[in-house]
Amino acid sequence: MERKWSSSPEIGSTGNGASGALFDVFLSFRGPDTRLNFANSLYHALRDKGIRVFLDNEGIDPGKEIGHEIFQAIDDSKICIPIFSIGYASSRWCLRELEHMMKRRKSHGLEVKPIFYDVEPSVVKLEPGVYREALIQHENERGAETVQGWKEALKEVTEIAGWKAENTGHGELTRQIALEVFGKLDVSPVHLPDFLVGIDKSVDKVIDLLSVESKEIRLIGICGMGGIGKTTLAKIVYKKLSARFQSSSFIHDIRQASESSSFGLLDVQRKLVRDILGEQKIEIPSIDEGKNVIKKYFSEKKVLIILDDVNDGEQLRALAAERKWFGSGSRILVTTRNKDVLSKFQNSLIHEVEGLNSQESLELFSKHAFGSIFPPSDFLKLSRKAIARAGGLPLTIEVIGSLLHGKEEAVWKDILRKMEIYPREDVLEHLRLSYEALDVTQKEIFLDIACFLAGKSKRDATYMWGDRLFPEEGIQVLLSRSLVKIREENELWMHDQLKDLGRSIVLAENYKNPGKRSRVWNHKDALDMITREKGTETVEAICVDFNGISLTSKEFKEVPNIRYLEMRSGNLSGDFKDVFPELRWLSWKRYPSFSQVTHFFPEELLILDLSGSIITEHWDWTQLKVWATF
């Protein structure tokens, strides 16, 4: 009969760890003894773990020689597992396979792990018993020279620590073997970056939160902004721990899969079921039916499930809504930019991913830019400048390092100058997803913080936004999605890359004309726009340094909708009646001791900041009259 080759699992299968190996495991057994019982159970246990197995499914007809493809399959496998049964030694085909394995073990380091199914190692070692009798019979038929190699192989294999089936149920033993083999093979559906820096502490913290030894069922959220390293962290944890669970699954990019089609989330459910249940053919026609399948079949299994990039509560409800869906000791690990989705699973735990410190950033950058852990001395200053732009964000560091790799110093300087004005789109696109998920008012708050309010008081900003932008809700949403943080003294904080994102969005409103953008934070652009009267009704916020010059109401007439104005030095003169009808926040650093401005009555003003000004007890407050509106 024709030899049957087992291929790797279709979907949810794992990648090939060692270069050149077509199979993870080669099973060697005598068909009549174990094909329909133990060998079959072991084959499926291995396959359920995503392990690629070569199995001679039908054996060889009497009188036929073992084919070359069998020896080739042994050569193309990482681990060979001979199953020693009562009749194993009576098959010269099995003995030839074993001899080839043991030779390959000596010459190429092939791993061989024996299973002593219903015979003791002493019998396999050719002490008195059925194996010894079988070898005598072979010697009579084939000659001593041929059989000598078989004898040596049998004796050598008993020196290897293996598994004994005595007093152990088939199901329990095959699961144990599959777990051990899985751990040895580094079989995993995840691919890790070549360079990993500064992640060990986070890995240890997440593993502590998971507490794998506990029998309770836990859900852990890995949270943080885009590009911070959430998925990489989850991959490392998965590779370290998956072998300790009955079944495991890593579902990548759930957000993207769910949004790709009307059946996207259903396809994610189907993949999860395939990964956990292996080759069982279960029809899932709808998401509700998928929930029922998960509840029914997962509840008796100890599983590790990684749900990557979850951005909506419906996704979690479809895949892991309740603890009772899973068996004792199960762990669900969710990566998300939005902490709120974790509230769907009661008592979830959270690990917030932090960026790299300056030393870790420099090491990761150097590996991508130079292929070493530290930059050459003549590029050290430029390298530090490059990582300063990244703000500890691994994705950004990798992109910039790879971009600058192999470039001359002059090109480095040009690229870094350009990035200060136009941040890289391949970096921003990963962050833009979080921004696009915001509603209209939340986007306005995000852009205000990105352009002006990072470092400012949350209380003051909330006053300015007032009822118009629903700031309490908006800030809470930004916090839950790691787009902003509240630091000491109630200060708003935003990562530099997120500020770059916000400013790039505003720049895109009109690249050429700052006067047609909603916010103008560049002092030069702002001063040019005001002095040349190029502003429009679109402008809502300005930051400008007057450099000591004095401006009149005429220059501000073209920007009537300003609600935020931050000025440094300089002065105002003339009649400003009705000039700032929408102004809510005025920051005037180094306010002059004397001003010629009149009728300066911004009736909507809520925040007045004159820090950095020389104000004495004799200061004339009549120069700046503000109507109290709260």
Side-chain angles (χ1 to χ4, degrees), residues 455-556:
K456 300 292 198 299
S457 163
K458 171 182 174 287
R459 184 201 64 175
D460 293 349
T462 300
Y463 280 141
M464 181 185 74
W465 291 319
D467 295 337
R468 186 175 71 90
L469 294 182
F470 312 102
E472 292 299 338
E473 181 218 19
I475 288 292
Q476 189 57 47
V477 170
L478 296 185
L479 284 169
S480 69
R481 299 185 181 183
S482 301
L483 293 175
V484 69
K485 291 184 179 180
I486 306 299
R487 291 290 176 88
E488 295 179 3
E489 299 182 2
N490 209 27
E491 178 185 289
L492 293 167
W493 181 88
M494 182 177 282
H495 192 283
D496 287 344
Q497 290 299 306
L498 289 169
K499 286 192 278 188
D500 284 348
L501 169 66
R503 293 180 177 192
S504 73
I505 291 168
V506 174
L507 282 172
E509 294 172 356
N510 194 302
Y511 280 109
K512 294 185 177 180
N513 187 352
K516 293 184 178 180
R517 301 175 197 152
S518 59
R519 298 159 179 84
V520 185
W521 60 89
N522 181 280
H523 293 291
K524 184 176 182 299
D525 288 344
L527 186 60
D528 183 73
M529 175 189 71
I530 294 170
T531 56
R532 298 191 181 194
E533 300 176 34
K534 291 183 176 181
T536 67
E537 294 181 353
T538 302
V539 180
E540 297 180 18
I542 297 173
C543 181
V544 59
D545 190 331
F546 288 150
N547 289 321
I549 67 173
S550 181
L551 298 176
T552 67
S553 60
K554 179 184 177 185
E555 284 89 1
F556 287 95

Side-chain angles (χ1 to χ4, degrees), residues 298-318:
F298 289 21
S299 59
E300 297 299 321
K301 283 181 170 285
K302 179 183 177 181
V303 299
L304 173 64
I305 297 173
I306 312 292
L307 304 176
D308 176 50
D309 197 13
V310 173
N311 73 324
D312 188 277
E314 287 300 317
Q315 296 160 1
L316 199 55
R317 279 191 285 270

Side-chain angles (χ1 to χ4, degrees), residues 606-622:
L606 296 169
I607 306 299
L608 176 61
D609 176 11
L610 298 176
S611 57
S613 302
I614 302 176
I615 300 175
T616 67
E617 58 182 325
H618 304 296
W619 199 69
D620 184 4
W621 284 96
T622 60

Side-chain angles (χ1 to χ4, degrees), residues 44-61:
H44 287 286
L46 293 167
R47 285 292 299 273
D48 287 351
K49 298 295 290 182
I51 296 169
R52 296 161 305 146
V53 185
F54 178 87
L55 176 73
D56 169 22
N57 199 37
E58 298 187 12
I60 301 174
D61 282 339

Side-chain angles (χ1 to χ4, degrees), residues 14-15 186-192 234-236 238-239 250 252 306:
T14 58
D186 191 26
V187 176
S188 175
V190 300
H191 171 72
L192 290 172
K235 286 179 177 180
I236 296 173
Y238 183 84
K239 286 176 75 74
F250 194 114
H252 295 270
I306 312 292

